[in-house]
Structures are given as C-alpha cells and as structure tokens.
Amino acid sequence: MRGDTGRSLRGTTGAPWQPGTRAFSGGLQKIDEGGRSATNVARSWRWIQMKVLLLANQPEKTTRLRLFDVTLKELGYETIVPRFDTVNWISIARKAREIVLRERPDLVHLFNVPDVIYHWLPALRGSGYKRLIYDYRSPWGVETELRFGSIAKNVCERFERQLAEAADVITTVNTPLKEKAMSYAPGKEICVIPNYPQRSFTVPGDDIEPENVVIFVGRVCEQEGIDSLLRVARELPEREFWIVGGGPFAWWYLRRKTENVKALGWQPHSRVAALVRRARICIIPRRENALTPYSTDRSIWKLNEYLNLGRQVVASGITLEERRKNLWVVKSTELRRAVEESMEREPEKLKESDYRFWEENTERVKEVYERVWG
C-alpha cells in the first residue's frame, strides 16, 4: 500500500532466468557493480529485475492491464500497478506523476483513455523512467466526437498523437487501431496484441442443453446498443432475453422493458460463464457509427468469451477481421432476422484451432519488451 499518492500493488514471481543473456526475456538486465554495460565478463556482476509501471486511471476495471500484469509476472518482471482512490482526472494526473517520480521504473506501460491525464508523461523520460510503451486500446478522439463533436475530437487526438510520438513501442488490439496509430507516428513499431480471454474462463461446466434464450452481457447504455436490444425483444415476444450488466442509467433504459426481458444485474465473472452456457444466442446489438471500424472481433472481450464457450453470436456495429465459427455479423436493422435464423441452427463444433486465448499473446508480449530495450 502507498500513502496519499495512491495505492500501489507490486508483485514478482521469481521466475527462473538463464545467466549470460541480455535478451531481457525474463525482465532481467545484466550490469556490473558500477552500473556499466554488460560487455566485460572479467568484471563482477549482479542481476537486477526490470521494474515496470502499468498505468491506467482505473486499473481494477482495466481487464487488459490486469492480463498484461499476469503475463509480465510470469516472464519474471517486477510490476507496479498504482490504484487511485478517486475518479477525478486532475487528481489522478497529480498522483500518477508523483508515483512515477518516486518509483522511477525502468519502463512505463500506459493504457490509454483518457489520454489528457498523461500529457505530462513524455517530459519525465530520463528523470522518472527510461522507456515508454503506449497501449492504444481505444480511439479516444473518435469516442469523444460522438458526444461533443469534431472540435473535441481534434483536441483529444492531439494528446493521442503526443503519446504515440513519445512511445518507444506502441501496442494495440487490432489492425484498424494499428493503422490509426501509424498515422500518428509513422515508422514507429506497433504490435497487435488482441483482447482474448484467459483459458481459465472456458473451464468445462455442466453439460446442459441450452435454453431458447438470447443473452446480453455488458454495460446498459446507448453505446452498447440497449435500444436495439429492447427493440428486438419487443419484435420477438415469444423469445426470452437476459440482460447481465448495469450502469448508472440502467433503470432509465429498462423502465419500459417488455415482460420477456429479465434484467439480472452485474454478476461475478465465473457466474457469467454459467449463464452464457445456458443461453442459445449471445447478442452484441451495437448501432453503426464512427467507432464501428475500430471495434473488431480481435478487440471485444465478451465476443471472444462467447465464442470460446461454443455459443452462437449475433453482432452488429462491429467489423470482422477474421472469419470465426458461430459468429454472425449483420447490420443493426437486421438483428431480428439474424436472431430468428440462429435459433433454428445448432452451433458448429469447435476444434482446438478455433479457440482464442490470452495465453497465445505471451510470446508477443515477450518480444515487445525485448524490442523496447534493443
């Protein structure tokens, strides 16, 4: 625990490493006692563990950060994950800056949105940290434009560009976001590390016959398509719809839900898997908008959770990067038809090659960290 500058969680695994290498694959760097480079084997040596600061404004809700944390510990890195007892951007920015200067990590891995919080970070290179990885997981400027217009987009994208240009390496979740990041920092090395769930999420459960239920999991809000979902439910009164999730205005959106809609609220992650197994169809009912090109099958956590559980998925408002078994991407106006047709189909059986797990990213993460240090 830390004091008033935020709570910092630190962990290491003591993973084994091979002496005589400078590849950093275990998060370790060989230096001599005077701090000079590892070139003279006649000198006495010591090993230090590379210290990585994983930075996001709400790390406890940032699944991607938490999985990077797990992987880096497995690779032998020391990780620091500051947590903030506030959601105020100004306070988070101040506390994050204090933590960087106090901890002086070898590397900061920044998970974007909202990028303005971290506009000061490039100026601390050298005095606060040595290397920077910018994780461009969401187009903040495009998101902001949907609410506040093009002027807000231009302001937000200026901060995105600043951080992209300052980074040693950029990580992102899919090809469209990689291309957008390239427009900010041409020639910068960018690595795609998809949002795939952990293998543990698909631990086999009871072998039950799915019910004729359509399930939605996520935040109850306009961006996630709650209006489209309720419309389809009204058009298919003979079908049952489950909503697993909530939000500050969920009561408003659900005040006129039909009798065939059950609002189950937020559920533990393990419970979500059990509910998904009971449903015949999983739905992602987003409307098409400026975010659609950047929302793909490689970036949407729940989509890959659904598919790994062997369920049929009907999705709108997203872009398909890779053909996947049991995934049907349609226009939002075609959701009713797609749901009816999927009810008449059985999901295809999955082969080992059809699954997508976070653990497949381990080698990519290892390579990214090796490249940062050259």
Side-chain angles (χ1 to χ4, degrees):
M1 290 287 184
R2 297 290 172 187
D4 60 1
T5 57
R7 294 176 293 157
S8 180
L9 303 184
R10 182 188 302 228
T12 64
T13 60
W17 46 267
Q18 296 295 323
T21 179
R22 199 175 181 274
F24 303 95
S25 60
L28 300 163
Q29 179 182 12
K30 191 176 183 181
I31 64 173
D32 68 61
E33 292 180 351
R36 294 174 290 276
S37 62
T39 56
N40 190 343
V41 296
R43 299 185 184 275
S44 59
W45 302 101
R46 64 185 174 88
W47 288 86
I48 65 170
Q49 192 168 41
M50 303 301 294
K51 184 162 63 173
V52 179
L53 179 69
L54 301 174
L55 191 58
N57 68 314
Q58 291 184 294
E60 67 280 0
K61 296 182 179 180
T62 308
T63 302
R64 186 169 172 84
L65 179 150
R66 289 190 282 108
L67 293 185
F68 262 97
D69 187 28
V70 170
T71 300
L72 289 171
K73 288 175 181 176
E74 291 173 349
L75 292 172
Y77 289 87
E78 177 186 1
T79 62
I80 305 168
V81 182
R83 296 192 179 189
F84 308 100
D85 297 317
T86 179
V87 295
N88 180 276
W89 290 3
I90 295 175
S91 297
I92 292 173
R94 175 177 55 81
K95 293 179 179 183
R97 189 176 190 277
E98 292 172 353
I99 291 169
V100 170
L101 290 173
R102 183 182 67 237
E103 297 288 352
R104 299 187 186 280
D106 298 291
L107 188 150
V108 174
H109 196 151
L110 173 64
F111 296 79
N112 87 316
V113 178
D115 300 60
V116 66
I117 292 178
Y118 311 106
H119 69 91
W120 46 266
L121 193 57
L124 293 189
R125 179 188 291 272
S127 61
Y129 64 92
K130 299 174 184 176
R131 299 286 189 273
L132 174 64
I133 296 176
Y134 176 50
D135 192 67
Y136 189 56
R137 61 196 178 102
S138 184
W140 183 46
V142 177
E143 292 176 1
T144 306
E145 181 184 27
L146 293 176
R147 296 181 181 180
F148 304 109
S150 59
I151 294 178
K153 175 188 177 185
N154 293 337
V155 172
C156 294
E157 290 190 342
R158 180 169 65 85
F159 292 112
E160 291 180 339
R161 184 184 303 276
Q162 177 191 23
L163 291 168
E165 291 175 344
D168 294 280
V169 173
I170 299 172
T171 52
T172 190
V173 295
N174 59 34
T175 302
L177 283 174
K178 176 180 178 179
E179 293 171 350
K180 188 167 180 61
M182 288 174 62
S183 72
Y184 291 148
K188 190 79 68 174
E189 184 162 5
I190 304 174
C191 182
V192 174
I193 299 177
N195 283 342
Y196 294 151
Q198 288 179 293
R199 187 177 292 271
S200 58
F201 185 77
T202 57
V203 171
D206 296 332
D207 187 15
I208 60 174
E209 182 69 21
E211 304 173 38
N212 287 329
V213 167
V214 180
I215 190 170
F216 166 87
V217 179
R219 191 175 180 84
V220 178
C221 62
E222 185 176 338
Q223 183 174 319
E224 292 298 322
I226 186 62
D227 291 340
S228 296
L229 175 63
L230 295 178
R231 171 177 54 80
V232 174
R234 286 194 299 271
E235 294 172 347
L236 297 173
E238 72 282 5
R239 302 298 184 191
E240 189 170 338
F241 290 75
W242 294 351
I243 297 177
V244 180
F249 300 106
W251 64 273
W252 174 260
Y253 291 112
L254 299 178
R255 72 193 189 283
R256 295 179 180 175
K257 67 180 180 65
T258 50
E259 292 184 0
N260 60 330
V261 176
K262 290 185 178 180
L264 305 179
W266 291 113
Q267 299 289 327
H269 203 225
S270 57
R271 174 66 174 158
V272 171
L275 289 169
V276 170
R277 284 192 174 95
R278 289 175 57 189
R280 184 169 295 278
I281 296 173
C282 303
I283 190 169
I284 299 176
R286 298 177 181 177
R287 290 181 180 272
E288 293 76 16
N289 57 32
L291 285 173
T292 298
Y294 304 105
S295 301
T296 79
D297 51 289
R298 303 180 78 184
S299 61
I300 303 173
W301 293 107
K302 61 185 176 182
L303 181 149
N304 286 289
E305 290 176 342
Y306 297 157
L307 293 176
N308 280 356
L309 289 171
R311 289 294 166 260
Q312 294 190 81
V313 180
V314 173
S316 61
I318 74 168
T319 298
L320 193 64
E321 280 197 79
E322 176 189 13
R323 294 193 66 84
R324 301 282 296 278
K325 282 184 179 178
N326 301 319
L327 173 59
W328 314 96
V329 178
V330 299
K331 297 290 185 181
S332 58
T333 54
E334 300 173 351
L335 283 169
R336 172 185 174 173
R337 176 186 59 78
V339 167
E340 288 182 304
E341 291 178 355
S342 296
M343 280 290 181
E344 303 302 320
R345 287 191 295 257
E346 290 297 322
E348 291 187 66
K349 297 294 184 181
L350 300 181
K351 301 177 181 177
E352 184 61 30
S353 60
D354 295 319
Y355 292 94
R356 300 291 181 271
F357 295 115
W358 175 262
E359 286 79 2
E360 298 171 18
N361 290 326
T362 298
E363 191 63 28
R364 295 189 186 100
V365 173
K366 177 181 174 182
E367 291 175 359
V368 165
Y369 274 69
E370 289 175 355
R371 290 172 186 170
V372 166
W373 291 101

